[in-house]
Amino acid sequence: MSKIRVGILFGGPSKEREISFAGGRTVYDNLNKSIFEPIPLFIDSLGNFIELEWSYIYKGTIRDFYPPVDFLPSGTNVQLYLENLGEIPATTQQEMIQRVGKRVTTDQFAQKIDFAFLCLHGPYGEDGRIQGLLEFLKIPYSGSGILASSIGMNKAIQKELMIKAGFNSPAYTVVNREKWIAGKYKGLFEEVKRTIQLPCVIKPANQGSSIGVTILTQDDEVKFMSAIEKALFTRWIDAAEWQALGEEDKLHYIKELSDIREGIGMPVQISSGVEGKPIIYSPDELLHFLNTHLKTGGFVLESLDGESEVLIEGFIEGKEFSCIVMEDEHGTAIALPPTEIRKGKELFDYRSKYLPGLSRKITPIDIPVEQIAAIREACEKLFYDLKFDVYARIDGFLGKDGRIFLNDPNTTSGMMPSSFFFHQAAEIGLNPSQFITYIIRTSLVKRIKESKNAHLYDGLLEALDRAIDNEHTGSGAKQKVAVILGGYSSERHISVESGRNIYEKLASSEKYAPLPVFLTGSNHQHELYVIPVNVMLKDNADDIKEKVNHYIIHPVIDEIRKECAAITQKFTGGQALAKPERITYAQLGERVEQVFIALHGRPGEDGAIQAELDAIGLPYNGSDKASSSITIDKYRTNELLKQHGYLVAEHALITAEDWKNEAAIKQLLQDNIKYPFIAKPVDDGCSSAVKKIRSFEEFEAFARLMFRETETLDEQAAAVLHIKEKEEFPRKTVILVEELISKKDARHFLEVTGGMLTRYNAKGEVEYEVFEASEALAEGDVLSLEEKFLAGQGQNITPARYARDPKERQIISEQVKAALGGAAKVLGVMGYCRIDAFVRVFDDLRAEVIFIEVNSLPGMTPATCIYHQAAINNYKPYEFIDRILEFGKQRLKHIPAIH
């Protein structure tokens, strides 16, 4: 049977496009490959539909590939979107599109796809417009129809309808953009304080992902006005304040202002303070314009993608929750277990939503059963009242007085791997691949019921049902792979993200049946637990550990599973969720044929697990015990590379015992390493506690934190180093200090990260396939956790831009790849790895590669750049993972059995 072609629509022009892009990738990865053929249809910010070449799906951000690098102005020093290039001729747009895929016109949709899966967010995605287009083209699509989508997008209209339907609401008012700019809201702040009171929430009427949202707690009219400006995506820039900024501060200001998630975005119009109301497209152009023209008074900047209305409402003290509502086959709405959102600060912002470990999701919300039932009943009622279809995400608060306040119902939920969408579906036993299949089938049934051309989709539904039945009967023949995730290091949350991503790619494949295994314990004793999918999809490693240690089936979840029994029977084949089960390595060997270690740092990359698996003859990914025990130690790694003639940073180890002689350490840092330098743990990765140290005061704070005896951070030391809230800072007994690598007299200088694969040749020798390295662009002193692993945050240019001339670039690239491959051989790395380094390029095209560190089990989160590199060599992420697993099996044939 031919596969059903699912067009995944993602990207778009809204400020939420990066979340849409990452969600589209999640759906692309998790579509059941036995049933569906995914067709990625990327929509750029000018509205072009592009059938995206598959390799670009795995870029970390849209800006990594579009607009293509060679279309950017020379010398640009900030990240750009397509609209930042100004008016782009149609011929140039076509050239750009051809670099990344093929333009698709709407009249070609019916020849390309059988079904449209919508991952679009915000205007043009959730407001009924794309739904209307697909209705006109007679193409079935996911989620709600036109009416519900248009209602679901506008928070102000929602608010009116919900109050009329009898739902609770805090006091609120709506501010109109044109009236605000015209100055027609005199006395608004006093009125808000009187009728709504502080604290209050100020947010755009048509945005999601907490973009443009402020919680105002202070009786400060200036901050009130700034919050409304933020929600309208306008900004007043005062001339005196601008002129007082240094050049670096001005550049930072422009970067923040042009950020579509945290600033107002670009292009902008100068609507006040200058004649002609000029439109400025790029950040560089804005910087030059302000430096040239902003001499007195001030300018009002308005984003061309601004907001028409702002909602101001009372802040609700209580528990915050989010609830997915889904329909069964009969159209009955079933609210899944609502999730409580616990965070360390008032606003559940973009970073808290999407970076694991910063907030906690507690499912179900920790309140009495009767109140959970009331929340579910309210969410189901709102689903019906707003005419939603298939599924929706409804947020809300349980006030301290017990009242339920629902807000921000969404017809298209975020589909990041850690989102509520998958988190709650897992509680009834659906893994992400199965839940996506459910969405497609239920949407198809809904379109058949609603459409005047219902007979057009009958054959498609019949084909899908046959494919689902065939999938259940053929699943037993797949290869069983244990995916080990978690751990107990500061990298445990990223390990969970990596492991989930590996699990999901294998679970949607035609070859593998993955088994999630959570590791916890200590260096002295590893504890292994086979975990069900609902535990695997908890928010982070700490939540998983808590469930493993205290597993109970909440009565509400038990009730919901019974309500959803027909759904789970159809989409899982009747597989029930089992409770976590502790097993030994020997028992693991009886259940699976091989292992994928998705751990980072210790344990995982230190050789300990490899020794256990060698002992039972289980093949695994990555390097063996001997090589892993070297690369886990950054000092030992660089010493070995230096002995073989490779360039490394000048470095030194400082132990807790050494630190007692403060005078000697001060002299060492001043004479040998010199300020500024880098301080970091010797055996942790993922940018954990990596800091640029500018003074002895900062190093003293670093040592105080690193050598502390309790988990609690010293507040004064944390403030000196600007430690973010909930930032992981491990306790260690050794600190590695390294010289800060600089450009020196090179023509060009950049930071790169390179990956590779290994294979056996006909002679049984290991060969290294070194990929093109990625150029890493850091916002701050060092690459942050977010920039490395959070979709939409960092920017990696692949391949690295060593030179503008293609021939020169390739000459330099070959030198870099030779150095990376040579270093891997010296260290005995096998399977795959990630190597971080700096590159100096000289006028004679000579390249110097200065090594930083080697990761034998690199991060495998959806946004990691090793996938971008593998794609250049034509490996899709699943194929890359498959090669890694196959090498592990081959290695067993090339080494004597260990008894």
Side-chain angles (χ1 to χ4, degrees), residues 14-18 63 78-81 83-84 211-212 230 233 235 251-268 282-283 286 303 305 350 779 787 792-794:
S14 85
K15 295 179 186 297
E16 298 177 76
R17 71 188 73 163
E18 292 290 4
R63 294 164 297 181
V78 289
Q79 299 170 339
L80 298 180
Y81 286 107
E83 65 269 24
N84 300 148
I211 291 173
K230 179 180 176 180
F233 304 103
R235 182 76 63 89
L251 183 60
H252 177 78
Y253 182 93
I254 294 295
K255 283 183 177 180
E256 183 274 330
L257 181 140
S258 61
D259 189 320
I260 62 172
R261 300 150 306 170
E262 314 244 343
I264 68 174
M266 297 195 72
V268 295
S282 77
L286 178 61
S303 170
D305 181 27
Y350 189 97
E779 286 285 325
E787 288 172 315
Q793 286 286 333

Side-chain angles (χ1 to χ4, degrees), residues 656-808:
E657 188 64 29
D658 295 333
W659 181 239
K660 294 177 182 178
N661 189 345
E662 187 176 308
I665 297 300
K666 186 177 282 190
Q667 200 67 43
L668 169 72
L669 298 177
Q670 184 174 311
D671 297 344
N672 293 24
I673 303 299
K674 299 179 182 177
Y675 296 100
F677 59 82
I678 298 294
K680 57 187 175 184
V682 75
D683 60 354
D684 264 2
C686 297
S687 299
S688 176
V690 179
K691 297 294 178 184
K692 183 178 178 181
I693 303 297
R694 298 170 178 80
S695 65
F696 187 74
E697 179 194 10
E698 289 187 352
F699 185 73
E700 189 177 33
F702 187 92
R704 202 184 318 158
L705 293 176
M706 191 68 75
F707 297 147
R708 70 191 188 278
E709 295 182 357
T710 65
E711 284 299 327
T712 305
L713 296 185
D714 180 291
E715 290 186 9
Q716 184 180 1
V720 170
L721 293 176
H722 307 290
I723 303 296
K724 296 176 184 175
E725 185 176 7
K726 294 191 179 180
E727 181 178 338
E728 291 281 350
F729 207 102
R731 287 187 292 156
K732 298 286 182 179
T733 58
V734 182
I735 295 171
L736 177 64
V737 294
E738 296 178 334
E739 69 167 318
L740 186 67
I741 307 298
S742 61
K743 182 178 181 180
K744 293 190 176 178
D745 56 347
R747 179 177 80 180
H748 188 42
F749 178 65
L750 64 165
E751 183 176 356
V752 302
T753 179
M756 62 192 72
L757 265 177
T758 64
R759 57 173 171 261
Y760 288 101
N761 63 21
K763 298 178 182 178
E765 301 165 332
V766 177
E767 293 183 339
Y768 289 78
E769 181 182 3
V770 183
F771 301 147
E772 286 284 355
S774 300
E775 177 183 349
L777 305 182
E779 286 285 325
D781 295 327
V782 296
L783 276 172
S784 67
L785 187 70
E786 297 95 318
E787 288 172 315
K788 279 189 176 181
F789 298 109
L790 177 57
Q793 286 286 333
Q795 189 175 23
N796 290 287
I797 306 299
T798 310
R801 301 171 295 180
Y802 302 117
R804 276 195 169 269
D805 180 86
K807 291 182 180 178
E808 290 186 358

